[in-house]
Amino acid sequence: MKKKFVTWTIVLYAIYGLLLGLYFFQWTDIGVPPAYEGTAADPTTFMTEKELELSQEYSRYKNFLSFLGEPLEWIIYLGVMIFGASVVFKNFGKQISRFRIIQIPLFVLLLQTLTTILLFPLDYARRWLSVKYGISTQSFSSWMRDELIGFWIGFIIMALLITVLYFLIKKFEKRWWLIAWVLMIPFLFFMMYLQPVVIDPLYNDFTELQDKQLEEKILALADEADVPADRVYEVNMSEKTNSMNAYVNGIGSNLRIVLWDTTLNRLEENEVLFIMAHEIGHYVMNHLYWNLAGVIVATFFGLYFTYHLLRYATRRWGERLGFTKVSDIASLPMFFLILTMLSFLSSPVELAISRNAETDADQYAIEMTEDPDAAIGSFQELTVNGLSDVHPPALVKYLRYGHPTMMERIHMLESYQGIDVKEE
Ligand SMILES: [Zn+2]
């Protein structure tokens, strides 16, 4: 089985890589369709030739790497089971302690360590590319520090969830997925509540807005939409990147709008206000709560299907892969394999919903600011700074984009301008 697995993995992965290469470097054109040529969405109207060339190159390599990485996690989980690593991990845990409350987190730690090491080259390649094209300005040590923080936070959360889960599986053979789902709901609320005040500050410094003159205008805009002033933060991302961003996160009293300092430093005042209005849009339309509701529904189906698929996989292949019961911790790689595949399958739907919400936020922002020039300018600046592709290939749009493409966003803003002009 091992030899067959290795042979097939190499053959299929090579074909996959080849097809990806052809798709990104031969079959897809970069640039905008003829109908958009010469409009504000056409990068040739706002990028220098050099920037355009760099952005095309960068997008192609970045997309290629991103899609190359897609099946790697699945291959690792399969390999861990087929090569018997999951049995080794389990037995090691049994030698350390006879308590499952120790054995399960230890298994999670070993599996996560192996996965992280195997995926590290790809992670590093992504960073290397970003630094090479002048997007990331983060030093290797600072990047490594972020990676380690991510590793340990991931471990703490995962160890907790998996320990509870495997106790439930042992105790409630048929209903564990439903109980796990019910318990997940308060946990999701709790994590979203903690995110901005406990997790995010581990990576970056969050402060109130530094530029007092700009702050006044931003807060006036927030006030107009009844967003309390203490909800607006600035984060020192300029230490790590040249790209710009802003977002809303947290829930309840921790719900906040965060602007990257790169956005504040590089955009004109009116442009910053448009970005701010977009975030206010998310805030007032309760997108975070809708998002949370979506996650809860998705978790329900995810756990339900995982329950059935895991049972089937255990009956069919369990013995050969080192676990005869679902409650055996050696089945964890199979659990992760199923869950990550399901989440991949559902991602186009999630992303489509997210793109919809982003369009609504853009619409809200343009109606609030009524300044299409600033709005278009901000998106053009965002495109240049991130060397992004205004019109990515379909595969990238449907499998990666939580926002509409810049072509779609700028086009929408330009159309708004059209209507406005006619009314005058
Ligand atoms: Zn948004």
Side-chain angles (χ1 to χ4, degrees):
M1 189 157 58
K2 289 175 194 164
K3 213 173 148 191
K4 218 164 129 189
F5 169 73
V6 172
T7 315
W8 275 106
T9 304
I10 292 174
V11 171
L12 291 176
Y13 197 67
I15 295 172
Y16 176 68
L18 186 73
L19 287 173
L20 280 184
L22 285 169
Y23 182 77
F24 288 119
F25 293 93
Q26 297 289 331
W27 298 338
T28 47
D29 281 328
I30 284 182
V32 297
Y36 294 87
E37 274 171 22
T39 65
D42 181 354
T44 56
T45 65
F46 61 87
M47 270 177 155
T48 65
E49 212 165 300
K50 184 76 194 159
E51 284 166 347
L52 198 60
E53 197 184 308
L54 285 176
S55 85
Q56 296 182 344
E57 256 178 39
Y58 178 60
S59 303
R60 286 186 151 153
Y61 285 119
K62 194 177 73 168
N63 292 334
F64 181 63
L65 270 186
S66 158
F67 279 83
L68 263 189
E70 191 71 60
L72 283 186
E73 209 178 330
W74 307 337
I75 296 173
I76 292 171
Y77 293 140
L78 270 175
V80 161
M81 290 185 284
I82 290 172
F83 280 91
S86 37
V87 178
V88 174
F89 292 169
K90 183 177 78 173
N91 291 339
F92 180 70
K94 278 186 174 161
Q95 280 170 9
I96 297 288
S97 166
R98 63 194 176 84
F99 298 111
R100 284 172 86 230
I101 199 145
I102 308 276
Q103 290 168 8
I104 298 173
L106 192 61
F107 190 98
V108 173
L109 182 63
L110 292 169
L111 182 62
Q112 192 184 317
T113 306
L114 182 69
T115 317
T116 307
I117 292 172
L118 291 174
L119 291 174
F120 187 80
L122 189 81
D123 236 14
Y124 184 77
R126 277 203 203 107
R127 172 194 126 78
W128 179 82
L129 196 68
S130 180
V131 170
K132 184 171 158 26
Y133 281 89
I135 311 291
S136 168
T137 52
Q138 199 176 5
S139 68
F140 178 75
S141 60
S142 161
W143 177 75
M144 214 42 223
R145 184 178 162 272
D146 283 356
E147 293 279 297
L148 285 172
I149 295 171
F151 179 90
W152 287 110
I153 292 174
F155 167 68
I156 291 166
I157 295 172
M158 217 24 113
L160 183 74
L161 289 179
I162 298 300
T163 306
V164 172
L165 186 80
Y166 273 78
F167 272 94
L168 290 177
I169 296 178
K170 193 161 178 114
K171 204 155 166 58
F172 309 97
E173 210 185 322
K174 292 209 162 72
R175 284 283 167 264
W176 61 262
W177 64 275
L178 191 63
I179 300 165
W181 177 69
V182 172
L183 293 177
M184 269 307 273
I185 298 172
F187 181 76
L188 284 169
F189 272 94
F190 183 62
M191 285 314 295
M192 262 182 96
Y193 183 76
L194 290 189
Q195 182 80 32
V197 288
V198 177
I199 310 226
D200 294 345
L202 293 173
Y203 294 93
N204 299 296
D205 298 331
F206 293 78
T207 55
E208 52 183 61
L209 295 164
Q210 304 290 315
D211 179 343
K212 291 297 157 197
Q213 227 177 341
L214 183 61
E215 183 190 28
E216 223 168 273
K217 294 196 170 132
I218 288 177
L219 293 182
L221 198 67
D223 192 47
E224 203 181 308
D226 286 329
V227 177
D230 61 346
R231 299 301 177 89
V232 185
Y233 288 78
E234 171 178 342
V235 56
N236 64 333
M237 286 303 287
S238 54
E239 287 172 13
K240 296 181 178 176
T241 179
N242 279 320
S243 63
M244 303 188 281
N245 199 7
Y247 60 89
V248 184
N249 76 346
I251 51 167
S253 57
N254 284 348
L255 184 63
R256 51 171 70 170
I257 293 175
V258 179
L259 298 159
W260 286 15
D261 61 347
T262 43
T263 311
L264 297 166
N265 300 341
R266 281 155 198 256
L267 292 183
E268 303 286 331
E269 208 168 78
N270 288 346
E271 296 173 339
V272 173
L273 292 178
F274 174 76
I275 301 287
M276 179 65 195
H278 171 100
E279 301 310 327
I280 291 177
H282 283 309
Y283 188 106
V284 299
M285 288 184 276
N286 293 316
H287 283 161
L288 280 179
Y289 292 104
W290 283 109
N291 180 37
L292 189 58
V295 172
I296 290 170
V297 173
T299 310
F300 177 86
F301 289 107
L303 283 168
Y304 173 77
F305 287 124
T306 303
Y307 161 73
H308 283 288
L309 290 168
L310 193 57
R311 230 161 59 132
Y312 174 79
T314 305
R315 237 180 300 138
R316 181 91 197 259
W317 302 292
E319 210 160 332
R320 275 188 288 172
L321 298 176
F323 51 95
T324 47
K325 278 191 277 178
V326 176
S327 62
D328 186 337
I329 188 63
S331 71
L332 185 63
M334 184 60 89
F335 178 84
F336 281 158
L337 177 67
I338 294 168
L339 209 61
T340 48
M341 282 186 149
L342 287 176
S343 99
F344 171 74
L345 290 175
S346 65
S347 64
V349 179
E350 279 166 38
L351 291 171
I353 295 171
S354 164
R355 286 197 300 272
N356 237 323
E358 294 298 336
T359 306
D360 289 347
D362 281 349
Q363 192 75 44
Y364 179 94
I366 191 64
E367 276 163 20
M368 186 178 199
T369 59
E370 293 185 311
D371 187 351
D373 287 340
I376 292 169
S378 72
F379 282 167
Q380 290 179 335
E381 202 54 40
L382 238 68
T383 307
V384 175
N385 268 278
L387 286 181
S388 33
D389 187 358
V390 294
H391 182 52
L395 211 55
V396 178
K397 178 179 161 181
Y398 294 111
L399 291 176
R400 291 284 184 271
Y401 269 48
H403 289 74
T405 66
M406 274 302 179
M407 188 183 83
E408 292 163 335
R409 300 180 85 178
I410 295 175
H411 178 69
M412 190 275 268
L413 296 171
E414 257 195 323
S415 327
Y416 177 83
Q417 193 172 26
I419 294 163
D420 206 29
V421 169
K422 228 182 279 168
E423 278 170 0
E424 281 169 21

